[in-house]
């Protein structure tokens, strides 16, 4: 169960850097026969940064695939034309 912790920084948020909100969850885990208390802290700012990185990587992949596909199609069209000329 997540517990809302809220904003921890004392700095005022700006248009370019909105306030980061935190939430936490606690549980007990067993590792190698030993029991530990696990606390997970989630940051809303990290989500936004990660999403921006994923969006950039997807755009880069799309561009790369489009170039590769266009080049492949151009090569196939050329090959087909050459085959027809030889017949």
């Amino acid at each position: 169960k997540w517990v809302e912790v809220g904003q921890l920084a004392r700095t005022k948020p700006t248009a370019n850097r909105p306030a980061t909100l935190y939430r936490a969850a606690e549980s007990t885990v067993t590792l190698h026969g030993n029991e530990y208390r696990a606390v997970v802290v989630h940051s809303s700012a990290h989500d936004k940064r990660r999403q921006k990185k994923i969006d950039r990587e997807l755009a880069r992949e799309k561009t790369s695939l489009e170039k590769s596909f266009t080049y492949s199609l151009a090569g196939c069209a050329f090959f087909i034309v050459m085959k027809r000329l030889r017949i």
Side-chain angles (χ1 to χ4, degrees):
K1 178 180 173 185
W2 289 98
V3 177
E4 297 296 327
V5 177
Q7 183 179 345
L8 300 178
R10 294 181 188 248
T11 6
K12 292 184 180 180
T14 64
N16 292 332
R17 190 177 283 268
T20 301
L21 301 176
Y22 296 92
R23 59 187 183 152
E26 178 183 4
S27 182
T28 304
V29 296
T30 304
L31 297 172
H32 305 290
N34 297 317
E35 200 167 279
Y36 296 94
R37 176 178 171 223
V39 178
V40 179
V41 179
H42 178 266
S43 161
S44 63
H46 182 71
D47 278 352
K48 292 172 188 167
R49 287 193 310 264
R50 174 63 57 194
Q51 187 61 49
K52 284 182 181 180
K53 181 178 179 179
I54 290 170
D55 290 343
R56 282 193 309 270
E57 287 177 4
L58 285 173
R60 212 171 312 148
E61 272 298 310
K62 180 183 176 198
T63 304
S64 174
L65 287 172
E66 285 173 344
K67 285 180 182 176
S68 175
F69 186 70
T70 302
Y71 178 75
S72 294
L73 284 180
C76 289
F78 179 72
F79 179 73
I80 292 168
V81 169
M82 291 301 290
K83 280 289 227 185
R84 287 186 183 160
L85 290 176
R86 289 182 182 177
I87 293 177

